Every structure is written in structure tokens, then in C-alpha cells.
Amino acid sequence: MRHAIMVEEKSGDRKIPVAQYTRMSTEHQRYSTENQTQFIAGFASEHGMEIVRSYQDDGKSGLSIEGRKGLKQLLEDVQRGQVDFVAVLVYDVSRWGRFPDPDEAAVHEHTCKRNGIQVIFCAEQFGNDTSLGSTLLKSLKRSMAAEYSRELSVKVFAGHRNLVQRGYRQGGAPGLGLRRQLIDEHHNVKGLLHRRDRKNIQSDRVVLVPGPAEEIATVHRIYRLFLDHGMPERVIASLLNRENVLTDYGRPWTRGTVHQILTNEKYIGNNVYNHTSYKLKIQHVRNPPDQWIRKDGAFESIVPLDWYLKVQAVIASRSHHLDDGEMLKVLAQILEKCGALSGLIIDEEDCAPSSAAYRSRFGSLLRAYNLIGFLPGRDYSYLEINRALRQRHPEVLTEIQRGIEQVGGFAHRDRETDLLNVNGEFSASLVIARCKLTPAGSYRWRIRLDTSLSPDITVVARMNHDNTAPFDFYLLPSIDFTSAFLPYAECNGFALDAYQFETLDVFYLLAARVPLAEAA
């Protein structure tokens, strides 16, 4: 089938300047970037095109745009308008991405189109145009790519489950006193894997074996100090650091790293998998114990079982005498002291229940956090700023209501959702975006749209560099914007900055009432 090309044909011998994007994922090696490049080059030659720029992602999954520097750079260049091409050639829909949500692939393609750059899929059987047939086939292909990812995820998990239950190690550092040993399909030993080494033959397997004697002695010493001398983890860490004994990563000890030695079942030879999961790269989830996959006695233990059980009894007893309220009180005190919470922060606190105890008592750390009013986030250093911005939110909403009233309009505010209903004609929500300085010295804004409210317009107030006052405003109609197309940077290109304003005067004009002369 001959593809319909919508880019403008050039007169004479001048060729159409285009870019190419190629991607190779580890789970689909048959689509090498070399093969894609060769096919795209033939397509370009056939249609009078010249490839003037290349974007590439090697060994990157198509489930998410995170980590795909090539695609990110392509989208940034397109949105800045600083490109010397009029189209992007891609081998097929799956190389653009196998996003779990097919709409995400469409959003990234639309980002290119709205900036005048067409995305052309060279190996697909549908035309690269906007006809009904092409649109339907492209949507179907996106859905098929997403479904492929879901099916592959199920198959990979089933394979991992089988291997774990057969006693093979599935990823992760071995830990102090242990080493990863490579064996072939007939269980013949092939040697030890060093840090960052990976097996390169699919049928090979990895098991854990005892490491150097001096490391095993350190592990034993940690257990004896805890059991025989009653030393808590922080004291043990301090003792080891004074003696210049380092962890397996060559770092000083902390309460948390000692706690890991005392609580990880791999030291008694158990192979435990699926503590956490990250299916389809959507969200990290800490799974309950009944979902763990385990094989007891899979490896040679380096810690006696009775030592391990006694340690677990001591650790569990720390929280047994505390009721739920007392445990939450301790957790709130840690939050007040540290300004944030995580499993490691909790485990670093002396005389406090471990993070495992909180998971066991409340079902998950997240539920315990919620019970004391803590909302975890990645950027803990901005916790105070976020709290101040949340307090500022109702104040700004009140200011907007006053501005609407001053131009003759009215706005009803929903007390539960803070959604504004303006003149009974349209709805609006307010998002206050925190400003953050990047390591490169530029500024970025964290913007999260509350799509569950379905506002007609989202007013984004981007804060200034010290987050004390609004820097500028964006008025974003919901019909034109998604979470993938937002003004995160100082300059975002004309397509976005056309919605940028220094004040909210334009928004107030939308709500203004204009008096009409009485008809004769």
C-alpha cells in the first residue's frame, strides 16, 4: 500500500527535510535500531526526503517516556520551534511507544502536529493522513501495542515466579557476606558475578553463595552484638564505623543498613521475591506478605536459623507493647523531627518500631502516613513550601472570586472540591505550581491538573523563584491540554505561551457582564 504523505512537496531537486526516531527495547530485540534506520532510509529516499536529524533510544522500554532521552529531546526541540525538519519518520507505532494508556502515545504525536511537525509511521499499512480509516487503524495499533505490554508483563511475572520457586535469584544486590554465582542450565558453575555484571546467556541462572570469610564474620558479629550485648542498630553502626568497617557498597554504616542485615531472609537461605512491584512502570507498590513469592532453603545460609528468629522476636517486641494510637504518636514525632517519612527514616530512629512493624500493624506504610496526615512525595526538602502553598490556595481562590465580582460577574465555590462555577456558564479550578531550581540553574514548575474535577478552564498560578508570590498565570482550556502538555519551563514555545499572562485580567474579562441597551 502506498502511504499518503501530507508534508508539502518541494519543487525541483530539493528534498524534504525530515528527522528520524528509532527505539530498541530489551524485550523486543528483533527490532534493532540499525534495521529501523535502514528501513526508514529507504522510505525517505522513495518519497524524496532527506534525513537531517536523528533521535534514538537504545535499550529503552516503550512503557513510559521517562528515561527516553531521545524522545524527550525530540519533543523539546519541536515545542521550542527550533527544528530544521518538517516531519519525523518512525518505523511503526510500537517504536513510538507501548504506553499502557494509548492516549499518551496520541498526546505526544499531537504535540508534534500542533507545532507543525508530522509524525509518519513508515512500516504501517495505514496511510499517514487524517482519513477515518487511517485514524481508526492507528488507534487500533496503539491499543494493540498497549495490550502487548500488558500480556508481556503477565508472562514475565509468571516466568519470574517459576524461577524463584526453583531457587534462582531474580535481581538485586547480593548483600554483605553473599555473592552472586552464575550457573548454566545444567547447574554447572560458571563463576561469580561482580557488581554491575549481568548474565549474557538467556539460559544461565543466578544463585546466592557465601562470600568472603571476613564479610561473613562481620554479619555474625552484628547478630551477636544485637543478641548477646543488647546493642541497638544505631550503636552497632557507630561501633563498625569507628573501626572503619564498611558496607558491601563501601559506605559507612547506618541504623537502616544494620537493620537490613538483621531482617533480610536471604541470610538464612530463603529466596523471597515480589516485596514490591512496578508493573507497566505505572506505580511502585509494596505488596502484602501473602503476595510474596518465596522458596525457603534455596541458598546456603550464612546465619543460623535460631539467631535470625531470636532477632525477629526482639524487633517485634518493640511494638507489641504499643497500641495503635501510641505507634502513630511515635510516627508523628519522627515526622516532626525529620520533616518527612520513609522506611529508611523510620528504621534510623532508636527506640521506635521498625518500618516493618508499621506495615504489619496498619497494612502499609502509606496507610500509617495517612492516619497522621502525612502525604509522602519525592521531594521531601520542599515539604514546608508545599504546606505553605496549600494554605495559600483558598486565599487565592477568594481573590479570584473578588476579581470576578468586581467586573460584574459571580462565582460559586464548591466547598468540597474548590471548583468555581462562573456565572453558571463555565467551571474553573486553581492550581498553584511550586517553582524549583534545577541543577543546571534553570527554573521548573511542578504542575498537576486535577482531571477528576473536569474543569472547563484550569488557572495555573506559577510561583516566583522563592515561592512567595505568583510569577505568572496560564489559562488552560481542558479541551486543549493534558498532563503531558503543560508549561513546566520558563519558555515553552508559542503553542503554550500563548496562554500565558502576567495577571488574571484576561480571565476576569471572560466573566465580565456587559450591559445591553434596551431595545426600542
Side-chain angles (χ1 to χ4, degrees):
M1 176 180 177
R2 185 173 179 84
H3 292 69
I5 308 299
M6 298 182 65
V7 295
E8 182 182 356
E9 296 290 344
K10 303 295 182 181
S11 60
D13 296 330
R14 188 179 178 186
K15 294 186 176 181
I16 304 169
V18 296
Q20 66 174 349
Y21 172 75
T22 57
R23 180 183 66 83
M24 178 183 68
S25 56
T26 54
E27 79 276 1
H28 208 164
Q29 295 293 339
R30 70 187 182 91
Y31 283 127
S32 70
T33 51
E34 292 82 1
N35 290 343
Q36 294 173 55
T37 299
Q38 184 177 6
F39 188 93
I40 290 172
F43 182 93
S45 177
E46 179 184 350
H47 293 86
M49 300 174 178
E50 179 184 6
I51 299 173
V52 298
R53 191 177 297 272
S54 295
Y55 299 88
Q56 182 171 313
D57 286 314
D58 280 337
K60 298 298 182 181
S61 168
L63 291 172
S64 168
I65 195 172
E66 296 302 321
R68 293 170 64 182
K69 294 182 180 179
L71 182 57
K72 281 186 172 181
Q73 188 63 55
L74 167 62
L75 296 175
E76 289 177 7
D77 290 348
V78 167
Q79 291 182 80
R80 285 200 303 264
Q82 300 175 351
V83 294
D84 52 358
F85 51 86
V86 298
V88 179
L89 304 186
V90 187
Y91 181 79
D92 65 9
V93 169
S94 69
R95 297 305 90 200
W96 189 248
R98 298 185 183 277
F99 301 100
D101 183 353
D103 289 343
E104 185 173 353
V107 166
H108 297 319
E109 183 178 347
H110 183 64
T111 297
C112 294
K113 286 185 176 180
R114 71 184 297 152
N115 287 278
I117 306 299
Q118 185 183 358
V119 179
I120 299 174
F121 299 105
C122 304
E124 297 290 5
Q125 294 304 305
F126 53 78
N128 290 283
D129 52 34
T130 57
S131 65
L132 178 60
S134 296
T135 302
L136 291 175
L137 281 174
K138 188 184 297 186
S139 298
L140 178 61
K141 280 297 191 77
R142 290 190 184 119
S143 299
M144 290 171 62
E147 185 60 27
Y148 170 85
S149 298
R150 282 187 282 269
E151 291 179 354
L152 182 64
S153 174
V154 173
K155 292 177 181 178
V156 169
F157 182 77
H160 287 176
R161 175 194 293 271
N162 178 52
L163 292 174
V164 169
Q165 292 175 338
R166 292 171 60 187
Y168 300 125
R169 178 78 170 175
Q170 291 299 300
L176 188 75
L178 296 169
R179 291 294 184 271
R180 295 180 299 151
Q181 186 176 78
L182 189 66
I183 59 177
D184 65 18
E185 56 184 328
H186 304 295
H187 283 234
N188 297 316
V189 176
K190 301 184 68 173
L192 295 178
L193 292 173
H194 300 290
R195 187 177 299 170
R196 297 188 181 89
D197 285 350
R198 296 184 179 183
K199 67 185 186 73
N200 53 17
I201 299 178
Q202 188 173 7
S203 58
D204 285 349
R205 299 289 176 248
V206 176
V207 296
L208 293 183
V209 296
E214 61 271 18
E215 291 189 14
I216 296 177
T218 300
V219 173
H220 285 183
R221 188 183 180 201
I222 289 173
Y223 273 80
R224 296 317 325 171
L225 290 172
F226 187 86
L227 290 173
D228 298 342
H229 300 275
M231 289 187 181
E233 293 93 325
R234 187 179 296 279
V235 175
I236 296 174
S238 298
L239 177 62
L240 294 175
N241 290 334
R242 286 198 302 270
E243 297 177 358
N244 294 319
V245 178
L246 300 177
T247 69
D248 52 319
Y249 281 97
R251 301 168 183 168
W253 291 87
T254 66
R255 183 184 187 275
T257 51
V258 173
H259 187 79
Q260 285 293 314
I261 296 286
L262 294 170
T263 57
N264 200 308
E265 291 188 51
K266 63 187 176 185
Y267 289 102
I268 58 172
N270 293 346
N271 192 19
V272 184
Y273 178 71
N274 202 40
H275 279 98
T276 62
S277 55
Y278 188 32
K279 293 182 178 179
L280 296 178
K281 298 192 176 184
I282 296 176
Q283 181 181 9
H284 282 284
V285 176
R286 184 173 292 276
N287 298 314
D290 60 352
Q291 293 183 15
W292 296 353
I293 302 168
R294 59 188 309 120
K295 171 69 174 179
D296 294 343
F299 316 123
E300 180 181 349
S301 66
I302 65 171
V303 170
L305 179 61
D306 61 326
W307 291 10
Y308 180 83
L309 294 178
K310 288 177 182 178
V311 167
Q312 306 322 303
V314 172
I315 292 175
S317 67
R318 294 172 179 170
S319 57
H320 279 170
H321 65 283
L322 299 177
D323 60 26
D324 290 359
E326 291 169 329
M327 286 187 69
L328 292 174
K329 183 178 180 180
V330 172
L331 192 63
Q333 291 171 346
I334 298 174
L335 174 61
E336 183 177 359
K337 172 185 175 183
C338 302
L341 291 174
S342 70
L344 185 60
I345 290 174
I346 295 170
D347 289 338
E348 284 293 325
E349 289 298 313
D350 289 322
C351 304
S354 67
S355 59
Y358 280 101
R359 293 189 191 98
S360 176
R361 180 72 67 89
F362 298 102
S364 69
L365 279 180
L366 185 59
R367 184 169 182 271
Y369 296 162
N370 289 336
L371 290 173
I372 63 169
F374 172 65
L375 299 176
R378 292 181 180 179
D379 196 353
Y380 293 127
S381 63
Y382 284 87
L383 196 64
E384 291 300 324
I385 294 176
N386 288 343
R387 184 179 296 114
L389 294 183
R390 285 196 296 270
Q391 294 173 351
R392 183 76 188 276
H393 191 271
E395 299 174 4
V396 178
L397 273 177
T398 300
E399 293 174 10
I400 292 176
Q401 284 183 282
R402 291 199 193 103
I404 293 173
E405 292 171 357
Q406 288 174 0
V407 296
F410 66 90
H412 171 74
R413 176 177 164 189
D414 190 304
R415 295 300 175 183
E416 293 184 2
T417 64
D418 281 333
L419 193 68
L420 294 178
N421 185 300
V422 182
N423 298 331
E425 297 172 346
F426 65 91
S427 60
S429 68
L430 170 67
V431 172
I432 299 181
R434 187 191 75 206
C435 182
K436 180 179 180 181
L437 181 66
T438 70
S442 58
Y443 292 98
R444 293 291 184 270
W445 282 266
R446 291 175 59 89
I447 301 175
R448 295 182 179 178
L449 299 182
D450 193 345
T451 55
S452 63
L453 299 180
S454 300
D456 296 310
I457 296 177
T458 297
V459 178
V460 177
R462 302 200 310 179
M463 301 302 286
N464 60 11
H465 300 161
D466 57 2
N467 289 288
T468 57
F471 173 70
D472 60 14
F473 298 91
Y474 277 79
L475 304 182
L476 306 180
S478 60
I479 193 172
D480 288 338
F481 293 90
T482 67
S483 59
F485 188 61
L486 292 173
Y488 298 112
E490 293 178 84
C491 297
N492 301 278
F494 175 77
L496 267 171
D497 290 343
Y499 297 87
Q500 179 189 30
F501 305 94
E502 293 184 1
T503 68
L504 287 177
D505 290 346
V506 172
F507 178 73
Y508 296 145
L509 287 177
L510 296 176
R513 303 286 84 184
V514 179
L516 297 177
E518 184 177 351

